[in-house]
Amino acid sequence: MVSKVEQVFDQILALVASGMTIRDALKSRPEFPPNPTFKSFAYGGDPQRRVRLEAAKAAGKVAAAGRYKSRSFTVENYCRSLDIIFTSDPAVRLEDLDYENGPPYHTLRYRAVRDAAFASRLNTAMKDRKWGGRARTYSDAQVDQAINIIRTEGHARYRESHAQRGLPHYCQILRRAEGDPALLRRYQNAVRAWVDTSGELHRTSLLANHIYRSIDDAVPRGIERADREDVISDLFEQVISGRIPIDNVASFASEFVRRHDRMFSRHRNRSLDEPVFNGSRIDSVSADSPEVWGY
């Protein structure tokens, strides 16, 4: 009885002789056996199978060598690849950079092993890369656009989208700002401007929701903002859970304010060792002692 491996053995050897690895050849067709089964058949039993396999592997190496000739790169190609590393985004792996048909990262590393001077240049490019280079490949207009986006959309949003927009990484802006104090101030002001307005922008987006807007209209505005937001959140949860109809939220607003005040008011639940008022050395316990007040 002929085994299933023997039926396809010649086909597998032909693929190996063409330059494919044994693993790739076995994966090329679903009817081929897995690698352990093939190896067991080739190296066990008839010694001629092993001889034929080794001959196919030798022919495959010759075929692959003729097909994949090593590329030669000029000095300008190597300089360009170093410059790409130097100005690249630190978030991208060096192996995944687009070297624009120049020597890729593994070729640069191979040359660095044989050339100490080149190894020093490569290490310098990689070391400075942590700042994203000096943004030499970006114009002043692109840097201005980046700062405006940070000001209007926020730092986090910009970090996520700068590559798709074709704009510099924020580290590149900082590196460029090392010799430009005015640029550094513009960048810092843009970051602060977003932080200062982000709370109000968030509130504006919430007001677009009719439930939040109705509750916001019902809650009194004379209380502190943080307390008011807590009350609004409590009411919003009750409405969306179906416990309070949205049409009756105004009648519940005052009760929720009183409930919040009973739980969190700064005039209640004071610590016994807390000063009776700001700047006082007298705590709440001592304040009940007549000796403190001189009588």
Side-chain angles (χ1 to χ4, degrees):
M1 181 178 178
V2 180
S3 70
K4 293 182 178 180
V5 181
E6 187 174 357
Q7 293 175 5
V8 296
F9 190 59
D10 291 338
Q11 300 176 39
I12 297 171
L13 292 184
L15 293 174
V16 173
S18 69
M20 294 181 68
T21 64
I22 294 176
R23 189 178 300 275
D24 290 340
L26 295 175
K27 290 182 178 180
S28 63
R29 299 182 190 175
E31 66 269 20
F32 288 168
N35 196 30
T37 304
F38 175 78
K39 291 285 186 68
S40 176
F41 177 83
Y43 293 109
D46 188 352
Q48 280 299 115
R49 299 174 190 158
R50 178 168 186 164
V51 173
R52 294 173 60 194
L53 176 59
E54 293 299 330
K57 289 167 62 178
K61 289 182 180 180
V62 173
R67 199 161 48 236
Y68 303 108
K69 295 181 179 179
S70 60
R71 296 179 58 189
S72 59
F73 298 101
T74 64
V75 174
E76 290 75 15
N77 293 146
Y78 278 101
C79 290
R80 177 57 183 157
S81 291
L82 291 178
D83 192 55
I84 288 172
I85 290 177
F86 183 73
T87 58
S88 62
D89 186 337
V92 181
R93 296 193 321 158
L94 292 171
E95 295 87 343
D96 296 336
L97 289 175
D98 181 6
Y99 289 96
E100 302 174 4
N101 295 321
Y105 177 65
H106 66 83
T107 303
L108 299 176
R109 296 294 299 181
Y110 180 71
R111 177 173 175 177
V113 172
R114 298 177 288 113
D115 185 342
F118 182 79
S120 177
R121 294 173 60 196
L122 176 60
N123 289 334
T124 299
M126 294 167 59
K127 175 174 171 287
D128 286 345
R129 183 181 188 253
K130 67 182 179 181
W131 286 100
R134 292 186 173 86
R136 292 180 299 179
T137 58
Y138 296 97
S139 65
D140 291 340
Q142 288 175 307
V143 174
D144 291 342
Q145 183 183 356
I147 292 177
N148 288 333
I149 292 174
I150 292 173
R151 182 187 303 275
T152 56
E153 298 184 19
H155 205 269
R157 177 71 178 275
Y158 180 78
R159 289 201 308 270
E160 296 172 355
S161 62
H162 75 93
Q164 293 83 355
R165 302 177 196 239
L167 297 174
H169 191 274
Y170 79 93
C171 284
Q172 291 177 295
I173 301 175
L174 286 174
R175 187 59 179 253
R176 185 162 172 166
E178 286 181 351
D180 189 344
L183 176 60
L184 180 60
R185 284 195 300 272
R186 288 170 52 212
Y187 171 80
Q188 293 173 336
N189 290 338
V191 174
R192 282 195 292 267
W194 164 255
V195 172
D196 292 342
T197 61
S198 58
E200 190 59 35
L201 289 172
H202 177 65
R203 174 175 162 76
T204 302
S205 64
L206 287 174
L207 288 173
N209 181 284
H210 75 283
I211 297 178
Y212 183 94
R213 189 168 59 251
S214 300
I215 297 173
D216 180 73
D217 292 338
V219 176
R221 300 184 182 277
I223 59 179
E224 292 188 8
R225 180 170 180 173
D227 295 333
R228 189 170 185 274
E229 291 295 336
D230 285 343
V231 173
I232 292 175
S233 297
D234 293 340
L235 279 168
F236 191 89
E237 180 184 356
Q238 295 295 315
V239 171
I240 63 175
S241 63
R243 299 188 184 95
I244 296 178
I246 186 62
D247 296 335
N248 296 341
V249 71
S251 60
F252 286 91
S254 298
E255 173 57 31
F256 271 73
V257 171
R258 287 192 295 270
R259 183 187 304 177
H260 184 275
D261 184 60
R262 285 195 298 270
M263 185 175 297
F264 298 106
S265 173
R266 61 179 180 274
H267 302 297
R268 290 180 173 83
N269 303 323
R270 296 174 62 88
S271 174
L272 294 178
D273 59 354
E274 183 179 351
V276 292
F277 54 85
N278 290 337
S280 173
R281 297 182 179 179
I282 303 174
D283 57 37
S284 298
V285 174
S286 301
D288 292 333
S289 174
E291 291 82 3
V292 172
W293 305 106
Y295 59 86

